[in-house]
Amino acid sequence: MGAVKDRTVEREPEHAASSGAQGVPAAGVEDTPPGPLEAYLPQFRAYLSLERSRSDHTVRSYVNDVSDLSHWMREHGIDAMDLLDRDALRGWLAQRHHRGLARSSLSRGIAAVHTFFRWAVDTQGLRHDPAAGLRGPRPAKHLPDVVGATALNDMLDDLGDVALGEHDDAHAAALAARDWALLELLYATGARISELVSLDGSHVDAVNHVLTVTGKGNKQRRVPYGESAGEALALWAHRRAELAAPDAGDAVFVGARGARIDARVARRVVARALETVPDTAARGPHSLRHSAATHLLDGGADLRTVQEVLGHASVATTQIYTHVSVERLKRAYSQAHPRA
């Protein structure tokens, strides 16, 4: 219990250094002359952000991938995008593979150039789409990290005990309440961390225990939460004024310096809490999303319901959690059945 309390009230830095600027080329090419696609990147970035409503992470990744292709073109003497063809793009992908990029990164690069060249055809006068029909390796399937329901309940109960206990000052008490509410809501709703940090007070129906969250593509969905999350959220609402600065506006979750909490800070809060959970490699907020989905299915929820809770555009995305549940069932069978 003591270890949980120490970590919960830690004063975290609010503005960690960014992991990378938008439009920064791949490692090792920062000092080289720009490639033929660089001039299009500011407009492409604006298109992704403003018209497609992509997340900052996706915008940064797609711009970096196209910038990487641009430098590859310069190195191979291709000085205009209308000189590209599918074979050239395959050469770029082969180089990325030889550099040791993961399958997921290769697949994301293909998605980035598909989006870029479709945009260029529509808006920049490109006569043909060299990425049409381009395919890459299938992403390796892996089961997400899932924390057991009992272990998660114990961790959340510990956070609640800390939040409801005595504190040296009101600032520490507010941080403890915030962390408890953040973890409870992540697990209760299966929301993405980006969805919770962007949550405003007007999106919380405390009477009916429902959140209105804004997911990918600015699509909104209503998600219920339970009594435990409601208790944690009520305590945080009572103590929020101790942390909130005027520029926090209507933000539900704020950081130690009073502004809307940064997603990186929220991830560290989750990671610190999960460090106290034994026998799991789970660390990030997505583990709580995975766990919520798996536990809903284990408890009898149907796949369509879980799809709506998570905000998946396709039920096929949600089906990975059925695999997780089957794996858990097989492990239990192997341990318990005398003829397994």
Side-chain angles (χ1 to χ4, degrees), residues 185 188-192 195-196 199-215 218-226 289 296 304-312:
L185 275 186
T189 64
R192 302 174 179 92
E195 295 170 344
L196 284 196
L199 204 63
D200 289 336
S202 60
H203 300 144
V204 181
D205 181 348
V207 175
N208 295 305
H209 283 195
V210 175
L211 298 184
T212 300
V213 298
T214 303
N218 278 336
K219 294 180 180 178
Q220 288 192 329
R221 67 186 188 277
R222 289 170 59 79
V223 185
Y225 59 89
R289 180 170 163 86
L296 280 169
R304 288 289 183 183
T305 298
V306 178
Q307 177 192 359
E308 290 182 21
V309 168
L310 298 183
H312 286 157

Side-chain angles (χ1 to χ4, degrees), residues 4-333:
V4 175
K5 182 178 293 188
D6 291 344
R7 286 176 174 155
T8 303
V9 300
E10 178 181 335
R11 267 63 165 182
E12 75 276 2
E14 289 297 323
H15 301 290
S18 175
S19 59
Q22 289 186 1
V24 176
V29 296
E30 292 88 343
D31 300 326
T32 58
L37 305 182
E38 299 294 327
Y40 299 95
L41 293 184
Q43 290 176 270
F44 181 55
R45 181 186 296 117
Y47 163 74
L48 291 172
S49 180
L50 301 177
E51 295 188 38
R52 296 291 298 274
S53 299
R54 296 300 184 94
S55 69
D56 290 343
H57 174 75
T58 298
V59 172
R60 183 168 56 248
S61 298
Y62 276 28
V63 169
N64 284 349
D65 287 336
V66 176
S67 180
D68 184 58
L69 171 61
S70 183
H71 283 80
W72 180 90
M73 291 170 62
R74 182 193 54 76
E75 292 169 356
H76 289 79
I78 304 173
D79 56 10
M81 65 177 170
D82 58 3
L83 298 178
L84 271 175
D85 58 23
R86 197 185 305 168
D87 287 340
L89 288 175
R90 286 172 177 156
W92 169 66
L93 290 173
Q95 185 201 61
R96 286 166 70 84
H97 174 71
H98 292 317
R99 276 162 38 194
L101 270 67
R103 284 188 178 190
S104 57
S105 297
L106 295 175
S107 297
R108 189 202 61 219
I110 293 172
V113 297
H114 272 300
T115 303
F116 175 79
F117 287 116
R118 281 196 300 267
W119 167 79
V121 168
D122 291 341
T123 66
Q124 305 300 311
L126 182 63
R127 290 172 295 179
H128 74 286
D129 179 356
L134 182 68
R135 295 178 181 174
R138 291 184 178 181
K141 289 186 177 181
H142 64 279
L143 298 179
D145 291 322
V146 173
V147 185
T150 300
L152 262 182
N153 282 328
D154 289 344
M155 182 265 285
L156 292 169
D157 286 346
D158 286 346
L159 287 176
D161 289 344
V162 171
L164 294 166
E166 295 184 1
H167 298 274
D168 294 336
D169 55 62
H171 190 270
L175 283 175
R178 182 205 65 186
D179 293 355
W180 181 34
L182 181 68
L183 270 293
E184 284 279 7
L185 275 186
L186 277 172
Y187 178 51
T189 64
R192 302 174 179 92
I193 193 67
S194 59
E195 295 170 344
L196 284 196
V197 300
S198 63
L199 204 63
D200 289 336
S202 60
H203 300 144
V204 181
D205 181 348
V207 175
N208 295 305
H209 283 195
V210 175
L211 298 184
T212 300
V213 298
T214 303
K216 294 182 177 180
N218 278 336
K219 294 180 180 178
Q220 288 192 329
R221 67 186 188 277
R222 289 170 59 79
V223 185
Y225 59 89
E227 293 295 331
S228 296
E231 181 184 359
L233 196 55
L235 179 65
W236 163 236
H238 177 70
R239 295 179 181 175
R240 177 183 177 277
E242 181 62 34
L243 294 184
D247 61 351
D250 195 31
V252 171
F253 291 106
V254 299
R257 297 181 183 178
R260 183 185 296 273
I261 194 170
D262 185 273
R264 292 186 297 274
V265 174
R267 289 188 183 96
R268 287 198 294 271
V269 170
V270 175
R272 286 199 301 267
L274 287 173
E275 285 175 0
T276 68
V277 179
D279 302 323
T280 180
R283 286 296 176 266
H286 236 59
S287 296
L288 295 180
R289 180 170 163 86
H290 296 323
S291 300
T294 304
H295 297 163
L296 280 169
L297 288 170
D298 286 346
D302 63 89
L303 203 58
R304 288 289 183 183
T305 298
V306 178
Q307 177 192 359
E308 290 182 21
V309 168
L310 298 183
H312 286 157
S314 169
V315 73
T317 309
T318 317
Q319 284 177 332
I320 187 173
Y321 300 109
T322 65
H323 301 156
V324 176
S325 294
V326 169
E327 286 300 316
R328 289 158 58 89
L329 180 63
K330 288 167 66 177
R331 285 198 299 271
Y333 179 90

